[in-house]
Amino acid sequence: MNVDQYRASENGTEFDEHGTESAEHGARSAEHGARSAEHGTASGARRPAVSVIVIVYNDAARLPTAVRSVLRQTLHDVEVVVVDDRSTDGSYEVARGLAAAHPDRVRAYRLPENSGGCGAPRNRGITEARGDYVLFLDSDDVLERDACRNMLEAAEATGADLVSGLCVRVHVDSRAGKEVKWYPWLYERTRTLESISELPDLMVFDTLSTNKCYRRRFLLDEGLRFPVGIHYEDLLFSAQAYATARRITLIPNRVYDWRVADKAAAKSISNRRDEIANFTHRMEIHRRVDRLLADKGLLELKFAKDVKFLKHDLVLHLRELPFRDEAFREEFAAIARQYLESIDRAAFDEAEPIHAICAYLLQQSDWENLLPAVDTLTNRDKISSPLVERDGRVYWCAEHLDDPFGRHILDVTDLGHHAKPVEKMFLRNVLTSYESTAGTVRLAGRITNPLGVIPPGARLAGQLEFYARRRGVRFQTFRFPVANVWHAGGSIAWEGSADLASVRPLGVVDAVWDVRLHLDVDGVRTTTRLTAAEPGLATGQLPVRPRLTRLVADRIEPVVSSRGHLSFRLVPDKKANALVQRGVHGRAGTLAKSGYRKARSLRKELTSGETKIRLYREVFSRLPVRKGLVVFESHLGRQYSDSPRAIYEEMRRQGLEFQAVWSYTGGPAGFPEDATLVRRWSLPYLRALAQAEFWVDNQSYPLKLTKRPRTTYIQTWHGSALKRMGFDEPEWKLKSREAQAEQQRTLDRFDRFLIRSEHDVRTLARAFRLQERTLLRVGYPRNDALAQARQREDAEGRRERGPLAAELGIPEDKQILLYAPTFRQRGNGKRRFELPFDVERFADAFGDRYVLLVRSHYLNHVVLPPSVRGRVVDVTAHHDMTPLLALADGLITDYSSVMFDYALLDRPMFFFVYDYDAYVHEGRGTYFDLLERAPGPVVRTEDELHAVLGSLEEQAVKYAPRREQFTADFGEYDQGTAARSIVDEFFAHWRR
């Protein structure tokens, strides 16, 4: 069946990619064995093993390809049943021709009248099928060559009523041959389910009927048929099949190619979301599925389906609302509201916050707040609401907060918008006025000012920027200053104009131009896109002069992108454009495009990692080593911190003559101005490493870069080990011999490795298989300040906080606790660290005595609510940990190596190990039992943590002996002289 006319998949073109490539096809099985006479391959009374039902409507051109994909199956015992839905283009004649050419394998049928959907022709196919098993195929798709064999063998081996395999969306008009696997995590391995309840995600996500093989007797006995006269029939049929099947088998093999034409002129049924009937049909199907699940007692599946409805089904239609008129919106809301009432409210908590917000506001018909929320739904991370703070929490809007459920849903504190500076915000910028005259367009808009992040007295300036959407041809951008920018209530208003006659596109290849507005706030820039929220606001055409002359185009017109942003599109002269297009698609154009693509490919190759490594080895490494050149790096270039910083600053303090190079990742802000800064992996970076006399870092320079013999690599490392490291880790032990040898070669680059205790010798040095001559027993330069602080306190009998306390706004009468946990890996790939205790409860309990500093691992980040402002402070942005440790009166940690550093200060430590068993026994293991050797109380619950925090003085006295032993065991070489010792040994000859 023509996907452009009839595709009724539930997901349409909004399918999201999941994961990476699935497993390869399994080894090809042997030819299917001889079957009994009753089930043989011959025509007549014999029944085939598999019947593939191919439905078609007005798709004569592609039908033969679909049928051939069945006839060419490696399993030959297959018949094709073509059912034509009363086509008007000759599809039935093509089907009859195929049947005549293959009389024993192809049969063709025609419905008496067009049914308007996929259900009726598939039902007719079930009636006509003779095989033991049934598959469904649309006329614009194809079966993978081994599909029937793999599915049949799985069904017969397991006795399954239903076998499902991997579907792949093949974008046929994609130049790169784009392929997207359909929920591949469901098909990572072969497995058999006795009930769909064992894997609810299967019913919730894979609702296709076409990537499945059904036992025909199962369909007949259960009376399974597709609904007729309603779209989205796959959803109901698949749900019925899943819920009824006595056994379901999943196989990791690719079985079905869903061929998608993104540029098709006619939209598929599921993509006609501008038709209210489309949404009506979807809701009716959902109601029928819900009744089915209730009848079958599968309530847990209903909940999973509710979550998916909020996260996916509803989202597809919500994204269309900004482009629809008021009548459409009201009718849509009335239909949706009725269904949303049936959804378990607990499902809202399982959806993303913006999904839940949109669903709630839709229920309330609050269009003023809903439409901006839809903007955020479409444009991830955009802040489209001014937000409001109440009682220390941040809410999407000020309305509906008297409703407890609404207050819960609209709470967006955890998104952390209140903690972002304006330059980190993507703000909604609504176009309020659009006029065009004689080549000039006059624009006006309002920019959201969330929580007043742009203060009333801020200096404001703006700039409009026009640029080609296609990056490969973005040769020039055109900028125009914004005449007026001012505060207008809770938003920032602006007015400006642009002379589009001065915008000179090339033409043809850069037909679409986007526009954005840069807003400067006290010298800090944030960038916005222009949201065209009012349909029909931007209209009219303006003259333009492409560089390829007006034969290409002579006008430009405003358009609204699929994300709701204002853009401009070249409007070509029809006659002239026909000539241009013939040239573009003719031989000359083909040669030009081929040359351009080759140039792009060459450029990509020249900037690839492999090319850079080759340059490093074959060019830069042949240059002479430069005396006095030292390359410093901390945490893969992310920070100016740790022991490399301490060594560098000691070298500067001693006035050594040397050339310093610091690598950075991201931006160079915060790195020393008296050093040469190079971006990590750039050519200057590689050249500096190749010619350096010394490498100094605390983690690792790129693994594939070999170190020259005349270069000395000082590896400072970044902490003693509680967790098993290197070749002591289980995953390292499981690597192949070649992989282990490659890893060892990178470790063998270390000429010197800093050691702070004999524990490091027994753990890190052994795990990295380092030679004794490599070890440098001087302690960590980063800890010199801590050891010296302890020595001063012991000598003077008092301690000084220094300027950092005042910088953080900490009162003199408050003691300071530092919470510094180890890195936490999140399975969903998110880096945000969820605090394992109620930070508001903590602030209420201890805010009169302590200020809590929260410093998450540099690979994580944390969000604090406004309610704890002044009592709990996020200091994660302070890359250098040493000043924070020196400031803290007590430390709360878990398994972080920061415990070894803080012990040098001889101050109270608390170990909050809420996930101890999982972390220690299910992870990579530890070198010692923290419960036995911790120099402070070890607690597992929030209540226990509150109990031990009652008095720092009491804990300081109680655990003093254990802290002393801990420091002796793990910090014996940290005497406050590490940086000076290293400079004296390696760099003293550079003194002036």
Side-chain angles (χ1 to χ4, degrees):
M1 178 162 289
N2 186 340
V3 70
D4 299 330
Q5 300 292 328
Y6 271 48
R7 170 72 75 191
S9 120
E10 62 153 336
N11 291 306
T13 59
E14 300 292 341
F15 168 75
D16 294 324
E17 294 189 32
H18 293 269
T20 56
E21 294 288 319
S22 64
E24 293 290 328
H25 295 323
R28 304 295 192 206
S29 59
E31 180 66 44
H32 191 63
R35 304 178 63 82
S36 65
E38 179 185 6
H39 300 91
T41 60
S43 60
R46 295 183 178 181
R47 292 212 305 265
V50 177
S51 294
V52 179
I53 299 168
V54 182
I55 59 173
V56 61
Y57 176 71
N58 285 354
D59 198 19
R62 290 182 290 191
L63 176 61
T65 301
V67 172
R68 279 196 297 271
S69 75
V70 182
L71 298 177
R72 293 175 179 174
Q73 288 289 298
T74 54
L75 176 73
H76 299 300
D77 199 1
V78 179
E79 72 163 354
V80 183
V81 179
V82 182
V83 182
D84 175 64
D85 196 13
R86 204 69 184 185
S87 296
T88 61
D89 73 337
S91 292
Y92 181 56
E93 287 69 24
V94 172
R96 292 181 63 187
L98 291 167
H102 307 277
D104 56 342
R105 300 193 66 190
V106 179
R107 290 181 289 130
Y109 300 90
R110 188 180 194 183
L111 297 188
E113 60 183 20
N114 178 251
S115 69
C118 299
R122 284 177 181 160
N123 291 340
R124 175 66 181 275
I126 294 173
T127 302
E128 301 295 344
R130 299 184 305 207
D132 290 337
Y133 296 89
V134 171
L135 278 75
F136 300 105
L137 173 64
D138 291 346
S139 60
D140 53 342
D141 299 332
V142 295
L143 289 181
E144 194 277 336
R145 194 161 184 265
D146 294 307
C148 291
R149 173 190 301 282
N150 290 330
M151 299 180 92
L152 174 64
E153 290 184 348
E156 295 197 334
T158 63
D161 290 330
L162 186 159
V163 175
S164 189
L166 181 66
C167 171
V168 178
R169 284 169 57 101
V170 179
H171 294 258
V172 295
D173 48 12
S174 168
R175 282 187 289 178
K178 179 182 176 182
E179 294 187 354
V180 180
K181 291 174 174 54
W182 185 260
Y183 302 111
W185 83 85
L186 296 170
Y187 298 99
E188 291 177 344
R189 60 184 175 85
T190 299
R191 51 181 160 177
T192 298
L193 312 173
E194 300 299 326
S195 167
I196 188 61
S197 298
E198 297 177 27
L199 186 61
D201 278 357
L202 184 60
M203 173 181 278
V204 171
F205 291 98
D206 188 0
T207 56
L208 298 179
S209 64
T210 48
N211 60 330
K212 297 170 178 60
C213 174
Y214 310 85
R215 192 180 299 272
R216 187 169 67 95
R217 178 48 55 190
F218 160 67
L219 296 180
L220 298 176
D221 290 347
E222 298 297 336
L224 292 184
R225 294 295 187 273
F226 289 87
V228 178
I230 189 170
H231 305 315
Y232 302 102
E233 58 278 297
D234 268 22
L235 273 72
L236 182 57
F237 181 84
S238 295
Q240 291 171 329
Y242 283 138
T244 310
R246 289 173 291 275
R247 184 171 293 166
I248 302 167
T249 295
L250 308 182
I251 60 175
N253 308 83
R254 178 175 183 164
V255 298
Y256 193 90
D257 282 7
W258 176 356
R259 296 165 66 84
V260 181
D262 297 306
K263 300 176 182 178
K267 289 184 179 180
S268 65
I269 288 175
S270 60
N271 287 330
R272 297 175 193 166
R273 289 186 281 273
D274 56 337
E275 302 174 4
I276 198 67
N278 183 291
F279 187 61
T280 303
H281 283 222
R282 187 188 285 269
M283 292 301 93
E284 175 58 26
I285 286 291
H286 273 283
R287 279 188 283 269
R288 294 187 190 185
V289 173
D290 291 345
R291 286 195 296 269
L292 167 71
L293 298 179
D295 293 342
K296 296 287 186 180
L298 300 171
L299 298 182
E300 72 280 5
L301 291 179
K302 168 65 166 64
F303 180 79
K305 179 179 162 297
D306 285 347
V307 174
K308 193 230 180 182
F309 177 81
L310 294 174
K311 296 172 66 174
H312 184 84
D313 299 72
L314 183 61
V315 168
L316 294 177
H317 293 269
L318 283 173
R319 288 173 175 165
E320 299 293 318
L321 289 185
F323 306 102
R324 306 291 161 244
D325 59 24
E326 184 176 353
F328 182 98
R329 294 172 185 172
E330 292 297 342
E331 188 174 359
F332 175 86
I335 298 170
R337 190 181 302 115
Q338 182 181 3
Y339 186 75
L340 285 170
E341 291 297 331
S342 71
I343 287 183
D344 189 333
R345 285 191 166 186
F348 283 74
D349 290 332
E350 299 298 320
E352 294 291 328
I354 192 61
H355 296 156
I357 288 170
C358 287
Y360 176 80
L361 294 175
L362 179 62
Q363 283 185 289
Q364 308 303 315
S365 291
D366 183 352
W367 300 107
E368 185 175 349
N369 288 305
L370 172 59
L371 292 178
V374 172
D375 195 1
T376 295
L377 188 69
T378 305
N379 298 279
R380 187 177 179 86
D381 298 326
K382 181 184 283 191
I383 306 176
S384 58
S385 169
L387 308 178
V388 63
E389 183 179 334
R390 295 283 189 273
D391 303 321
R393 305 293 294 180
V394 177
Y395 298 92
W396 183 260
C397 57
E399 292 74 24
H400 317 295
L401 300 185
D402 55 342
D403 172 13
F405 182 63
R407 191 179 185 90
H408 171 67
I409 293 300
L410 297 171
D411 189 333
V412 294
T413 307
D414 291 343
L415 296 181
H417 294 320
H418 59 279
K420 292 181 180 178
V422 67
E423 65 269 21
K424 297 293 184 181
M425 290 182 168
F426 178 23
L427 301 176
R428 175 175 164 92
N429 184 354
V430 179
L431 191 67
T432 58
S433 175
Y434 180 98
E435 297 178 3
S436 60
T437 307
T440 297
V441 59
R442 289 181 292 278
L443 307 171
R446 285 179 177 264
I447 301 173
T448 301
N449 187 15
L451 300 173
V453 68
I454 304 173
R459 301 187 314 275
L460 304 178
Q463 183 184 65
L464 288 168
E465 183 175 272
F466 292 76
Y467 57 97
R469 176 176 296 175
R470 191 172 172 185
R471 292 189 178 184
V473 293
R474 195 177 297 171
F475 303 116
Q476 186 176 1
T477 57
F478 298 86
R479 301 177 180 89
F480 306 92
V482 173
N484 300 306
V485 188
W486 71 97
H487 274 82
S491 60
I492 305 299
W494 60 272
E495 294 176 342
S497 62
D499 178 13
L500 295 191
S502 64
V503 174
R504 299 295 307 279
L506 184 65
V508 183
V509 294
D510 57 353
V512 180
W513 285 66
D514 292 321
V515 57
R516 57 191 171 197
L517 185 142
H518 299 299
L519 177 67
D520 288 337
V521 181
D522 288 331
V524 175
R525 169 173 287 192
T526 186
T527 299
T528 69
R529 294 294 306 274
L530 276 56
T531 298
E534 183 180 336
L537 175 63
T539 59
Q541 297 181 348
L542 298 95
V544 71
R545 293 183 302 122
R547 298 183 188 277
L548 293 179
T549 78
R550 286 195 173 96
L551 284 176
V552 173
D554 59 359
R555 291 159 292 158
I556 194 169
E557 66 179 1
V559 293
V560 180
S561 72
S562 61
R563 293 184 177 272
H565 296 142
L566 178 67
S567 301
F568 289 85
R569 179 177 57 200
L570 295 180
V571 182
D573 176 85
K574 291 183 179 180
K575 292 183 179 180
N577 186 60
L579 295 174
V580 173
Q581 290 300 321
R582 280 202 294 269
V584 168
H585 297 292
R587 178 173 176 79
T590 300
L591 290 174
K593 286 185 285 186
S594 175
Y596 174 71
R597 288 171 187 152
K598 288 180 180 178
R600 286 187 62 187
S601 177
L602 179 60
R603 180 181 178 184
K604 184 177 181 180
E605 180 182 348
L606 290 175
T607 58
S608 69
E610 291 184 2
T611 300
K612 288 181 176 180
I613 293 172
R614 191 162 61 249
L615 280 171
Y616 175 84
R617 293 174 177 172
E618 299 177 6
V619 179
F620 296 151
S621 292
R622 295 181 179 180
L623 299 174
V625 170
R626 294 169 57 184
K627 292 291 185 180
L629 175 58
V630 186
V631 178
F632 296 89
E633 186 171 287
S634 177
H635 294 301
L636 307 179
R638 292 185 178 94
Q639 302 174 2
Y640 172 58
S641 65
D642 212 75
S643 292
R645 173 177 179 171
I647 294 172
Y648 170 76
E649 292 180 349
E650 177 66 18
M651 294 172 72
R652 289 299 189 199
R653 189 189 66 79
Q654 292 192 24
L656 304 187
E657 291 184 344
F658 68 105
Q659 181 182 354
V661 172
W662 269 93
S663 84
Y664 68 88
T665 299
F671 284 82
E673 296 181 358
D674 56 355
T676 300
L677 307 182
V678 294
R679 186 183 298 276
R680 200 171 194 265
W681 266 114
S682 66
L683 294 182
Y685 170 80
L686 297 177
R687 177 168 180 165
L689 284 176
Q691 293 192 270
E693 187 176 357
F694 286 92
W695 292 359
V696 180
D697 94 309
N698 65 352
Q699 198 156 338
S700 178
Y701 287 108
L703 302 182
K704 293 186 178 181
L705 301 185
T706 55
K707 182 185 70 66
R708 300 174 70 177
R710 295 180 59 193
T711 299
T712 300
Y713 190 166
I714 301 175
Q715 174 56 255
T716 70
W717 204 239
H718 51 274
S720 297
L722 168 63
K723 303 177 287 291
R724 292 191 177 274
M725 302 290 291
F727 289 101
D728 289 341
E729 294 182 54
E731 65 178 65
W732 280 40
K733 293 179 180 179
L734 294 175
K735 290 182 178 180
S736 66
R737 183 175 300 176
E738 293 76 12
Q740 290 191 25
E742 178 66 23
Q743 188 64 44
Q744 188 62 55
R745 281 192 289 272
T746 66
L747 296 171
D748 289 343
R749 296 181 302 174
F750 304 159
D751 292 298
R752 305 309 294 267
F753 187 89
L754 301 196
I755 296 295
R756 58 188 307 242
S757 71
E758 289 305 305
H759 169 74
D760 291 352
V761 177
R762 295 187 297 271
T763 56
L764 289 171
R766 187 189 66 184
F768 293 156
R769 299 175 181 174
L770 302 178
Q771 300 294 322
E772 172 64 30
R773 66 177 181 274
T774 305
L775 308 183
L776 193 60
R777 293 172 168 82
V778 295
Y780 282 172
R782 73 180 188 190
N783 288 340
D784 287 349
L786 302 180
Q788 292 167 9
R790 165 78 182 282
Q791 294 163 5
R792 284 195 303 271
E793 290 172 21
D794 290 346
E796 300 174 5
R798 62 185 180 86
R799 56 171 291 218
E800 295 183 2
R801 283 186 169 181
L804 183 56
E807 178 185 329
L808 296 174
I810 300 175
E812 288 288 340
D813 61 339
K814 298 286 182 68
Q815 289 185 295
I816 301 170
L817 292 175
L818 174 64
Y819 177 52
T822 192
F823 171 66
R824 287 298 197 284
Q825 179 67 55
R826 292 289 177 260
N828 56 10
K830 294 182 179 178
R831 295 172 60 183
R832 197 177 119 198
F833 173 64
E834 301 286 351
L835 287 172
F837 57 88
D838 187 337
V839 69
E840 292 177 292
R841 178 189 171 197
F842 184 97
D844 291 341
F846 298 106
D848 59 337
R849 284 180 284 172
Y850 304 136
V851 170
L852 178 67
L853 307 182
V854 177
R855 208 278 191 176
S856 63
H857 191 277
Y858 70 90
L859 291 177
N860 295 134
H861 73 272
V862 70
V863 173
L864 300 175
S867 58
V868 301
R869 193 179 288 123
R871 297 176 293 173
V872 183
V873 182
D874 180 13
V875 293
T876 304
H878 288 253
H879 291 161
D880 196 349
M881 191 74 166
T882 301
L884 297 173
L885 294 174
L887 178 62
D889 296 294
L891 173 71
I892 305 171
T893 188
D894 44 18
Y895 322 99
S896 172
S897 64
V898 72
M899 69 176 76
F900 303 110
D901 304 324
Y902 193 76
L904 299 172
L905 293 166
D906 191 30
R907 298 176 193 167
M909 283 191 276
F910 307 87
F911 297 85
F912 184 30
V913 292
Y914 55 92
D915 57 352
Y916 182 82
D917 292 332
Y919 194 91
V920 172
H921 301 302
E922 297 176 15
R924 63 196 194 201
T926 60
Y927 285 116
F928 62 87
D929 190 343
L930 182 63
L931 301 181
E932 294 180 359
R933 303 183 69 174
V938 180
V939 298
R940 301 198 186 200
T941 69
E942 188 172 345
D943 289 339
E944 291 176 346
L945 177 63
H946 281 216
V948 298
L949 288 176
S951 170
L952 296 185
E953 291 74 17
E954 178 183 343
Q955 298 297 334
V957 174
K958 182 177 180 180
Y959 285 90
R962 296 190 70 167
R963 287 198 306 276
E964 182 178 359
Q965 184 62 50
F966 194 82
T967 303
D969 290 343
F970 301 107
E972 58 187 300
Y973 301 128
D974 277 324
Q975 301 299 317
T977 59
R980 187 170 69 246
S981 297
I982 292 171
V983 172
D984 288 346
E985 179 171 349
F986 295 99
F987 309 113
H989 58 287
W990 292 344
R991 290 192 179 97
R992 293 189 180 91

